[in-house]
Amino acid sequence: MKNLAENWDVVVVGAGIAGCMTAGTIALKGKGNVSVLLMDRNPPTEAGKKTVLGWVCGDAVGEHHIKYIHEHIGTTYGKPEMENRVTAVYVYSPDMKVRVPFEGPGYVLDRPKFAKRLLDDALKAGVEFRGNVQATELIQDNGTIVGLHGQTVGPGVNQPFEIRSKLIIDTSGMSTKLRRNLPIPSHIEKEINKDDVEPTARLNAKLRD
Ligand SMILES: Cc1cc2nc3c(=O)[nH]c(=O)nc-3n(C[C@H](O)[C@H](O)[C@H](O)COP(=O)(O)OP(=O)(O)OC[C@H]3O[C@@H](n4cnc5c(N)ncnc54)[C@H](O)[C@@H]3O)c2cc1C
């Protein structure tokens, strides 16, 4: 359980889709017996928003994923975070010559509202959320990760802090510094091979009608 010396059972770094789901599920299954801290460098209203690109990602999802979540943790999504049901998604190459179909039902999400729903569900499950804090490095002791250093992010002077935890889960995205600077030997891939990355872009247009 949590005590005043900032010792946690679980600390989850990054409150995007992965972080909110992970922290919320642990708290839910822990039934009040596991203290979970979720932190993000963004403020609570923007947890999950990309720093440079904004709300560009994760706004379409297959129905089978939504069913999986419902069956495994009992969550039902609906309006307002699920905007429209679609029967397929087609992805076009920039010259429009190649069309890749993703057939099967799914939903187009209102991405900021979906992020809020994920964070609200995690909070309801008992997660403590801290926004405007950035994890900067992991602390190791005898080859085991035992905590992290971080700093507040904001208009004032950034305040450093240290947190200890039995388990740290890094869900801070694909270009995370924590993984790249992992201070212990590990099988974890520190740098993602560029050949494994498929960059995409999205244009959201607001039509008058
Ligand atoms: C253009 C584009 C379109 C996409 N479209 C879709 C789609 O339609 N459907 C779909 O399912 N997926 C889509 N994706 C993929 C999807 O966006 C990612 O798979 C998803 O966002 C990954 O979630 P995540 O939680 O792992 O990381 P992220 O969403 O990147 O979240 C990471 C979080 O960690 C925080 N963070 C980072 N570093 C730190 C730190 N040091 N300390 C504290 N906090 C930190 C960030 O502020 C952020 O909130 C798309 C991606 C792109 C680029």
Side-chain angles (χ1 to χ4, degrees):
M1 296 294 289
K2 191 186 144 197
N3 66 33
L4 295 175
E6 278 279 0
N7 272 301
W8 292 82
D9 292 323
V10 181
V11 172
V12 181
V13 181
I17 299 168
C20 287
M21 288 301 303
T22 305
T25 305
I26 294 171
L28 198 70
K29 302 279 180 187
K31 298 188 171 126
N33 296 311
V34 183
S35 62
V36 186
L37 173 67
L38 172 65
M39 61 164 74
D40 202 287
R41 62 188 173 194
N42 292 348
T45 47
E46 299 193 340
K49 185 175 167 185
K50 310 280 183 201
T51 310
V52 182
L53 299 169
W55 291 113
V56 292
C57 319
D59 45 9
V61 67
E63 194 168 66
H64 56 295
H65 297 301
I66 299 298
K67 280 189 178 154
Y68 182 91
I69 298 290
H70 181 74
E71 280 161 21
H72 286 79
I73 55 172
T75 304
T76 307
Y77 298 107
K79 294 271 177 193
E81 64 274 6
M82 315 292 268
E83 273 199 311
N84 288 310
R85 190 171 185 274
V86 294
T87 51
V89 170
Y90 296 103
V91 174
Y92 288 86
S93 63
D95 62 6
M96 303 297 276
K97 286 186 180 152
V98 180
R99 185 177 88 155
V100 182
F102 291 87
E103 282 166 354
Y107 296 91
V108 176
L109 307 171
D110 180 320
R111 186 64 182 84
K113 287 187 184 140
F114 185 57
K116 181 174 181 315
R117 173 72 202 271
L118 292 177
L119 185 55
D120 286 350
D121 284 355
L123 296 179
K124 266 190 231 147
V127 170
E128 181 165 327
F129 174 73
R130 226 168 270 174
N132 293 320
V133 292
Q134 179 166 24
T136 50
E137 63 178 1
L138 295 164
I139 304 168
Q140 68 98 18
D141 185 18
N142 260 329
T144 304
I145 301 297
V146 293
L148 58 80
H149 287 126
Q151 60 182 32
T152 56
V153 183
V157 178
N158 293 337
Q159 300 293 332
F161 62 83
E162 180 180 317
I163 288 177
R164 298 272 162 165
S165 179
K166 289 179 194 151
L167 180 66
I168 302 223
I169 302 178
D170 177 12
T171 52
S172 59
M174 69 167 268
S175 49
T176 169
K177 262 202 260 173
L178 298 183
R179 186 189 61 236
R180 266 188 276 138
N181 300 328
L182 194 64
I184 54 170
S186 162
H187 64 280
I188 292 172
E189 195 180 27
K190 290 191 176 172
E191 290 290 343
I192 294 181
N193 188 332
K194 287 205 170 62
D195 290 342
D196 291 338
V197 178
E198 295 286 353
T200 58
R202 179 188 297 270
L203 172 69
N204 285 331
K206 198 165 197 170
L207 305 180
R208 203 181 328 139
D209 301 320

